[in-house]
PDB file of all heavy atoms in Angstrom:
ATOM      1  N   SER A 957     -68.232   8.390  64.798  1.00  0.00           N
ATOM      2  CA  SER A 957     -68.757   7.121  65.284  1.00  0.00           C
ATOM      3  C   SER A 957     -68.274   6.854  66.701  1.00  0.00           C
ATOM      4  O   SER A 957     -67.118   7.084  67.032  1.00  0.00           O
ATOM      5  CB  SER A 957     -68.290   5.995  64.355  1.00  0.00           C
ATOM      6  OG  SER A 957     -68.494   4.751  64.949  1.00  0.00           O
ATOM      7  N   LEU A 961     -62.507   6.402  67.421  1.00  0.00           N
ATOM      8  CA  LEU A 961     -61.948   7.718  67.715  1.00  0.00           C
ATOM      9  C   LEU A 961     -61.125   8.075  66.489  1.00  0.00           C
ATOM     10  O   LEU A 961     -60.186   7.359  66.142  1.00  0.00           O
ATOM     11  CB  LEU A 961     -61.053   7.697  68.958  1.00  0.00           C
ATOM     12  CG  LEU A 961     -60.413   9.060  69.265  1.00  0.00           C
ATOM     13  CD1 LEU A 961     -61.442  10.010  69.883  1.00  0.00           C
ATOM     14  CD2 LEU A 961     -59.207   8.919  70.195  1.00  0.00           C
ATOM     15  N   VAL A 962     -61.515   9.151  65.826  1.00  0.00           N
ATOM     16  CA  VAL A 962     -60.806   9.566  64.610  1.00  0.00           C
ATOM     17  C   VAL A 962     -59.891  10.742  64.943  1.00  0.00           C
ATOM     18  O   VAL A 962     -60.338  11.779  65.427  1.00  0.00           O
ATOM     19  CB  VAL A 962     -61.787   9.944  63.488  1.00  0.00           C
ATOM     20  CG1 VAL A 962     -61.013  10.290  62.213  1.00  0.00           C
ATOM     21  CG2 VAL A 962     -62.773   8.800  63.217  1.00  0.00           C
ATOM     22  N   LYS A 973     -45.503  15.533  60.622  1.00  0.00           N
ATOM     23  CA  LYS A 973     -46.839  14.918  60.687  1.00  0.00           C
ATOM     24  C   LYS A 973     -46.792  13.407  60.531  1.00  0.00           C
ATOM     25  O   LYS A 973     -47.392  12.674  61.325  1.00  0.00           O
ATOM     26  CB  LYS A 973     -47.752  15.485  59.576  1.00  0.00           C
ATOM     27  CG  LYS A 973     -47.981  16.951  59.609  1.00  0.00           C
ATOM     28  CD  LYS A 973     -48.871  17.393  58.457  1.00  0.00           C
ATOM     29  CE  LYS A 973     -48.355  17.039  57.092  1.00  0.00           C
ATOM     30  NZ  LYS A 973     -47.077  17.677  56.730  1.00  0.00           N
ATOM     31  N   ILE A 976     -45.089  11.567  63.471  1.00  0.00           N
ATOM     32  CA  ILE A 976     -45.948  11.572  64.654  1.00  0.00           C
ATOM     33  C   ILE A 976     -47.091  10.575  64.476  1.00  0.00           C
ATOM     34  O   ILE A 976     -47.416   9.802  65.382  1.00  0.00           O
ATOM     35  CB  ILE A 976     -46.496  12.990  64.937  1.00  0.00           C
ATOM     36  CG1 ILE A 976     -45.361  13.953  65.294  1.00  0.00           C
ATOM     37  CG2 ILE A 976     -47.570  12.956  66.020  1.00  0.00           C
ATOM     38  CD1 ILE A 976     -44.634  13.647  66.577  1.00  0.00           C
ATOM     39  N   LYS A 978     -47.237   7.915  62.570  1.00  0.00           N
ATOM     40  CA  LYS A 978     -46.723   6.539  62.625  1.00  0.00           C
ATOM     41  C   LYS A 978     -46.413   6.123  64.059  1.00  0.00           C
ATOM     42  O   LYS A 978     -46.651   4.974  64.447  1.00  0.00           O
ATOM     43  CB  LYS A 978     -45.472   6.403  61.747  1.00  0.00           C
ATOM     44  CG  LYS A 978     -45.783   6.387  60.256  1.00  0.00           C
ATOM     45  CD  LYS A 978     -44.513   6.267  59.435  1.00  0.00           C
ATOM     46  CE  LYS A 978     -44.823   6.182  57.950  1.00  0.00           C
ATOM     47  NZ  LYS A 978     -43.587   6.149  57.131  1.00  0.00           N
ATOM     48  N   HIS A 991     -52.648   7.955  55.133  1.00  0.00           N
ATOM     49  CA  HIS A 991     -51.878   9.146  54.788  1.00  0.00           C
ATOM     50  C   HIS A 991     -52.479   9.798  53.540  1.00  0.00           C
ATOM     51  O   HIS A 991     -52.646   9.137  52.509  1.00  0.00           O
ATOM     52  CB  HIS A 991     -50.419   8.788  54.506  1.00  0.00           C
ATOM     53  CG  HIS A 991     -49.748   8.068  55.633  1.00  0.00           C
ATOM     54  ND1 HIS A 991     -49.271   8.724  56.756  1.00  0.00           N
ATOM     55  CD2 HIS A 991     -49.498   6.746  55.827  1.00  0.00           C
ATOM     56  CE1 HIS A 991     -48.739   7.835  57.576  1.00  0.00           C
ATOM     57  NE2 HIS A 991     -48.865   6.634  57.044  1.00  0.00           N
ATOM     58  N   TYR A 995     -52.852   9.502  48.212  1.00  0.00           N
ATOM     59  CA  TYR A 995     -53.986   9.714  47.321  1.00  0.00           C
ATOM     60  C   TYR A 995     -53.722  10.759  46.232  1.00  0.00           C
ATOM     61  O   TYR A 995     -54.646  11.238  45.592  1.00  0.00           O
ATOM     62  CB  TYR A 995     -55.237  10.093  48.141  1.00  0.00           C
ATOM     63  CG  TYR A 995     -55.663   8.951  49.022  1.00  0.00           C
ATOM     64  CD1 TYR A 995     -55.145   8.804  50.303  1.00  0.00           C
ATOM     65  CD2 TYR A 995     -56.547   7.978  48.551  1.00  0.00           C
ATOM     66  CE1 TYR A 995     -55.508   7.725  51.109  1.00  0.00           C
ATOM     67  CE2 TYR A 995     -56.907   6.901  49.346  1.00  0.00           C
ATOM     68  CZ  TYR A 995     -56.386   6.783  50.622  1.00  0.00           C
ATOM     69  OH  TYR A 995     -56.744   5.719  51.404  1.00  0.00           O
ATOM     70  N   LEU A 997     -53.056  12.174  42.684  1.00  0.00           N
ATOM     71  CA  LEU A 997     -53.430  11.689  41.350  1.00  0.00           C
ATOM     72  C   LEU A 997     -52.159  11.323  40.581  1.00  0.00           C
ATOM     73  O   LEU A 997     -51.099  11.903  40.811  1.00  0.00           O
ATOM     74  CB  LEU A 997     -54.178  12.785  40.586  1.00  0.00           C
ATOM     75  CG  LEU A 997     -55.510  13.253  41.181  1.00  0.00           C
ATOM     76  CD1 LEU A 997     -56.008  14.499  40.441  1.00  0.00           C
ATOM     77  CD2 LEU A 997     -56.557  12.154  41.112  1.00  0.00           C
ATOM     78  N   PRO A 998     -52.258  10.368  39.647  1.00  0.00           N
ATOM     79  CA  PRO A 998     -51.077  10.036  38.845  1.00  0.00           C
ATOM     80  C   PRO A 998     -50.655  11.225  37.970  1.00  0.00           C
ATOM     81  O   PRO A 998     -51.451  12.123  37.690  1.00  0.00           O
ATOM     82  CB  PRO A 998     -51.543   8.851  37.985  1.00  0.00           C
ATOM     83  CG  PRO A 998     -53.027   8.843  38.075  1.00  0.00           C
ATOM     84  CD  PRO A 998     -53.416   9.520  39.335  1.00  0.00           C
ATOM     85  N   HIS A1004     -54.788  17.741  37.002  1.00  0.00           N
ATOM     86  CA  HIS A1004     -53.690  18.503  37.587  1.00  0.00           C
ATOM     87  C   HIS A1004     -53.678  19.942  37.073  1.00  0.00           C
ATOM     88  O   HIS A1004     -54.018  20.194  35.912  1.00  0.00           O
ATOM     89  CB  HIS A1004     -52.340  17.857  37.272  1.00  0.00           C
ATOM     90  CG  HIS A1004     -52.010  16.702  38.168  1.00  0.00           C
ATOM     91  ND1 HIS A1004     -51.870  16.833  39.529  1.00  0.00           N
ATOM     92  CD2 HIS A1004     -51.797  15.394  37.893  1.00  0.00           C
ATOM     93  CE1 HIS A1004     -51.571  15.662  40.061  1.00  0.00           C
ATOM     94  NE2 HIS A1004     -51.527  14.769  39.091  1.00  0.00           N
ATOM     95  N   GLU A1009     -45.196  29.013  34.400  1.00  0.00           N
ATOM     96  CA  GLU A1009     -43.873  29.645  34.549  1.00  0.00           C
ATOM     97  C   GLU A1009     -42.834  28.701  35.150  1.00  0.00           C
ATOM     98  O   GLU A1009     -41.635  28.884  34.953  1.00  0.00           O
ATOM     99  CB  GLU A1009     -43.979  30.927  35.380  1.00  0.00           C
ATOM    100  CG  GLU A1009     -44.415  30.715  36.818  1.00  0.00           C
ATOM    101  CD  GLU A1009     -44.403  32.011  37.618  1.00  0.00           C
ATOM    102  OE1 GLU A1009     -43.332  32.627  37.707  1.00  0.00           O
ATOM    103  OE2 GLU A1009     -45.463  32.376  38.148  1.00  0.00           O
ATOM    104  N   ASN A1011     -43.292  25.231  34.727  1.00  0.00           N
ATOM    105  CA  ASN A1011     -43.442  23.981  33.985  1.00  0.00           C
ATOM    106  C   ASN A1011     -43.550  22.803  34.963  1.00  0.00           C
ATOM    107  O   ASN A1011     -42.871  21.783  34.838  1.00  0.00           O
ATOM    108  CB  ASN A1011     -42.267  23.777  33.016  1.00  0.00           C
ATOM    109  CG  ASN A1011     -42.546  22.640  32.029  1.00  0.00           C
ATOM    110  OD1 ASN A1011     -43.698  22.381  31.673  1.00  0.00           O
ATOM    111  ND2 ASN A1011     -41.494  21.966  31.599  1.00  0.00           N
ATOM    112  N   ASN A1014     -49.018  21.853  40.292  1.00  0.00           N
ATOM    113  CA  ASN A1014     -49.230  22.304  41.664  1.00  0.00           C
ATOM    114  C   ASN A1014     -49.712  21.104  42.472  1.00  0.00           C
ATOM    115  O   ASN A1014     -50.871  20.697  42.379  1.00  0.00           O
ATOM    116  CB  ASN A1014     -50.264  23.435  41.703  1.00  0.00           C
ATOM    117  CG  ASN A1014     -50.449  23.998  43.099  1.00  0.00           C
ATOM    118  OD1 ASN A1014     -49.976  23.420  44.078  1.00  0.00           O
ATOM    119  ND2 ASN A1014     -51.142  25.117  43.204  1.00  0.00           N
ATOM    120  N   VAL A1017     -52.415  21.565  46.202  1.00  0.00           N
ATOM    121  CA  VAL A1017     -53.855  21.823  46.263  1.00  0.00           C
ATOM    122  C   VAL A1017     -54.627  20.512  46.373  1.00  0.00           C
ATOM    123  O   VAL A1017     -54.160  19.457  45.934  1.00  0.00           O
ATOM    124  CB  VAL A1017     -54.337  22.620  45.023  1.00  0.00           C
ATOM    125  CG1 VAL A1017     -53.848  24.067  45.097  1.00  0.00           C
ATOM    126  CG2 VAL A1017     -53.865  21.966  43.728  1.00  0.00           C
ATOM    127  N   MET A1034     -64.210   2.341  58.686  1.00  0.00           N
ATOM    128  CA  MET A1034     -65.075   2.618  59.831  1.00  0.00           C
ATOM    129  C   MET A1034     -66.298   1.704  59.909  1.00  0.00           C
ATOM    130  O   MET A1034     -66.927   1.601  60.955  1.00  0.00           O
ATOM    131  CB  MET A1034     -65.505   4.090  59.818  1.00  0.00           C
ATOM    132  CG  MET A1034     -64.339   5.031  60.081  1.00  0.00           C
ATOM    133  SD  MET A1034     -64.823   6.768  60.101  1.00  0.00           S
ATOM    134  CE  MET A1034     -65.639   6.854  61.692  1.00  0.00           C
ATOM    135  N   SER A1048     -64.171  -4.193  74.253  1.00  0.00           N
ATOM    136  CA  SER A1048     -64.613  -2.886  74.733  1.00  0.00           C
ATOM    137  C   SER A1048     -63.721  -1.740  74.230  1.00  0.00           C
ATOM    138  O   SER A1048     -64.088  -0.581  74.321  1.00  0.00           O
ATOM    139  CB  SER A1048     -64.645  -2.859  76.260  1.00  0.00           C
ATOM    140  OG  SER A1048     -63.355  -3.121  76.767  1.00  0.00           O
ATOM    141  N   ASN A1051     -61.957   1.488  68.503  1.00  0.00           N
ATOM    142  CA  ASN A1051     -61.076   1.497  67.349  1.00  0.00           C
ATOM    143  C   ASN A1051     -60.564   2.924  67.171  1.00  0.00           C
ATOM    144  O   ASN A1051     -61.259   3.889  67.484  1.00  0.00           O
ATOM    145  CB  ASN A1051     -61.841   1.073  66.097  1.00  0.00           C
ATOM    146  CG  ASN A1051     -62.334  -0.348  66.184  1.00  0.00           C
ATOM    147  OD1 ASN A1051     -61.588  -1.264  66.488  1.00  0.00           O
ATOM    148  ND2 ASN A1051     -63.618  -0.537  65.927  1.00  0.00           N
ATOM    149  N   LEU A1053     -58.742   5.566  64.345  1.00  0.00           N
ATOM    150  CA  LEU A1053     -58.347   5.844  62.965  1.00  0.00           C
ATOM    151  C   LEU A1053     -57.509   7.111  62.964  1.00  0.00           C
ATOM    152  O   LEU A1053     -57.972   8.169  63.412  1.00  0.00           O
ATOM    153  CB  LEU A1053     -59.574   6.008  62.066  1.00  0.00           C
ATOM    154  CG  LEU A1053     -59.310   6.345  60.594  1.00  0.00           C
ATOM    155  CD1 LEU A1053     -58.424   5.292  59.929  1.00  0.00           C
ATOM    156  CD2 LEU A1053     -60.624   6.479  59.834  1.00  0.00           C
ATOM    157  N   GLU A1056     -53.720  11.523  58.390  1.00  0.00           N
ATOM    158  CA  GLU A1056     -52.619  12.489  58.365  1.00  0.00           C
ATOM    159  C   GLU A1056     -52.488  13.084  56.971  1.00  0.00           C
ATOM    160  O   GLU A1056     -52.562  12.370  55.980  1.00  0.00           O
ATOM    161  CB  GLU A1056     -51.329  11.763  58.775  1.00  0.00           C
ATOM    162  CG  GLU A1056     -50.066  12.576  58.691  1.00  0.00           C
ATOM    163  CD  GLU A1056     -49.352  12.422  57.355  1.00  0.00           C
ATOM    164  OE1 GLU A1056     -49.310  11.302  56.810  1.00  0.00           O
ATOM    165  OE2 GLU A1056     -48.823  13.451  56.865  1.00  0.00           O
ATOM    166  N   LEU A1069     -65.403  14.369  60.473  1.00  0.00           N
ATOM    167  CA  LEU A1069     -65.288  13.031  61.046  1.00  0.00           C
ATOM    168  C   LEU A1069     -64.303  12.983  62.207  1.00  0.00           C
ATOM    169  O   LEU A1069     -64.408  12.126  63.081  1.00  0.00           O
ATOM    170  CB  LEU A1069     -64.828  12.025  59.982  1.00  0.00           C
ATOM    171  CG  LEU A1069     -65.863  11.467  59.026  1.00  0.00           C
ATOM    172  CD1 LEU A1069     -65.161  10.616  57.967  1.00  0.00           C
ATOM    173  CD2 LEU A1069     -66.912  10.655  59.757  1.00  0.00           C
ATOM    174  N   CYS A1070     -63.339  13.901  62.201  1.00  0.00           N
ATOM    175  CA  CYS A1070     -62.271  13.873  63.204  1.00  0.00           C
ATOM    176  C   CYS A1070     -62.790  14.303  64.576  1.00  0.00           C
ATOM    177  O   CYS A1070     -63.337  15.393  64.731  1.00  0.00           O
ATOM    178  CB  CYS A1070     -61.118  14.783  62.781  1.00  0.00           C
ATOM    179  SG  CYS A1070     -60.267  14.226  61.289  1.00  0.00           S
ATOM    180  N   LYS A1080     -41.899  30.184  57.898  1.00  0.00           N
ATOM    181  CA  LYS A1080     -41.467  30.015  56.507  1.00  0.00           C
ATOM    182  C   LYS A1080     -40.006  29.569  56.433  1.00  0.00           C
ATOM    183  O   LYS A1080     -39.675  28.639  55.690  1.00  0.00           O
ATOM    184  CB  LYS A1080     -41.653  31.330  55.748  1.00  0.00           C
ATOM    185  CG  LYS A1080     -41.292  31.246  54.288  1.00  0.00           C
ATOM    186  CD  LYS A1080     -41.545  32.563  53.589  1.00  0.00           C
ATOM    187  CE  LYS A1080     -41.211  32.472  52.105  1.00  0.00           C
ATOM    188  NZ  LYS A1080     -41.443  33.769  51.420  1.00  0.00           N
ATOM    189  N   CYS A1083     -39.564  25.981  57.688  1.00  0.00           N
ATOM    190  CA  CYS A1083     -40.185  25.072  56.722  1.00  0.00           C
ATOM    191  C   CYS A1083     -39.256  24.871  55.520  1.00  0.00           C
ATOM    192  O   CYS A1083     -39.031  23.748  55.073  1.00  0.00           O
ATOM    193  CB  CYS A1083     -41.535  25.659  56.288  1.00  0.00           C
ATOM    194  SG  CYS A1083     -42.552  24.536  55.313  1.00  0.00           S
ATOM    195  N   GLU A1108     -49.530  28.401  49.263  1.00  0.00           N
ATOM    196  CA  GLU A1108     -50.666  27.483  49.429  1.00  0.00           C
ATOM    197  C   GLU A1108     -50.859  27.128  50.911  1.00  0.00           C
ATOM    198  O   GLU A1108     -51.979  27.066  51.404  1.00  0.00           O
ATOM    199  CB  GLU A1108     -50.472  26.206  48.597  1.00  0.00           C
ATOM    200  CG  GLU A1108     -50.526  26.411  47.093  1.00  0.00           C
ATOM    201  CD  GLU A1108     -51.918  26.740  46.565  1.00  0.00           C
ATOM    202  OE1 GLU A1108     -52.893  26.769  47.343  1.00  0.00           O
ATOM    203  OE2 GLU A1108     -52.017  26.977  45.352  1.00  0.00           O
ATOM    204  N   TYR A1109     -49.754  26.907  51.613  1.00  0.00           N
ATOM    205  CA  TYR A1109     -49.826  26.622  53.049  1.00  0.00           C
ATOM    206  C   TYR A1109     -50.408  27.822  53.797  1.00  0.00           C
ATOM    207  O   TYR A1109     -51.271  27.669  54.672  1.00  0.00           O
ATOM    208  CB  TYR A1109     -48.439  26.263  53.591  1.00  0.00           C
ATOM    209  CG  TYR A1109     -48.364  26.241  55.105  1.00  0.00           C
ATOM    210  CD1 TYR A1109     -49.007  25.249  55.843  1.00  0.00           C
ATOM    211  CD2 TYR A1109     -47.650  27.225  55.800  1.00  0.00           C
ATOM    212  CE1 TYR A1109     -48.945  25.227  57.235  1.00  0.00           C
ATOM    213  CE2 TYR A1109     -47.585  27.205  57.185  1.00  0.00           C
ATOM    214  CZ  TYR A1109     -48.235  26.212  57.895  1.00  0.00           C
ATOM    215  OH  TYR A1109     -48.170  26.211  59.277  1.00  0.00           O
ATOM    216  N   ILE A1126     -59.342  22.745  66.694  1.00  0.00           N
ATOM    217  CA  ILE A1126     -57.980  22.304  66.364  1.00  0.00           C
ATOM    218  C   ILE A1126     -56.998  22.702  67.461  1.00  0.00           C
ATOM    219  O   ILE A1126     -57.030  23.825  67.956  1.00  0.00           O
ATOM    220  CB  ILE A1126     -57.508  22.925  65.024  1.00  0.00           C
ATOM    221  CG1 ILE A1126     -58.407  22.482  63.863  1.00  0.00           C
ATOM    222  CG2 ILE A1126     -56.049  22.542  64.736  1.00  0.00           C
ATOM    223  CD1 ILE A1126     -58.138  23.221  62.562  1.00  0.00           C
ATOM    224  N   ILE A1129     -49.978  23.216  67.192  1.00  0.00           N
ATOM    225  CA  ILE A1129     -48.740  22.851  67.886  1.00  0.00           C
ATOM    226  C   ILE A1129     -47.546  23.411  67.123  1.00  0.00           C
ATOM    227  O   ILE A1129     -47.439  23.251  65.901  1.00  0.00           O
ATOM    228  CB  ILE A1129     -48.610  21.310  68.007  1.00  0.00           C
ATOM    229  CG1 ILE A1129     -49.827  20.732  68.760  1.00  0.00           C
ATOM    230  CG2 ILE A1129     -47.312  20.926  68.712  1.00  0.00           C
ATOM    231  CD1 ILE A1129     -49.917  19.223  68.713  1.00  0.00           C
TER     232      ILE A1129
END
Side-chain angles (χ1 to χ4, degrees):
S957 166
L961 178 76
V962 183
K973 300 179 303 297
I976 295 295
K978 286 179 177 176
H991 304 281
Y995 295 89
L997 297 170
H1004 279 299
E1009 64 176 301
N1011 192 30
N1014 184 348
V1017 288
M1034 292 181 75
S1048 60
N1051 296 309
L1053 178 57
E1056 175 267 321
L1069 279 174
C1070 294
K1080 182 178 181 181
C1083 190
E1108 292 289 357
Y1109 168 70
I1126 298 171
I1129 302 170

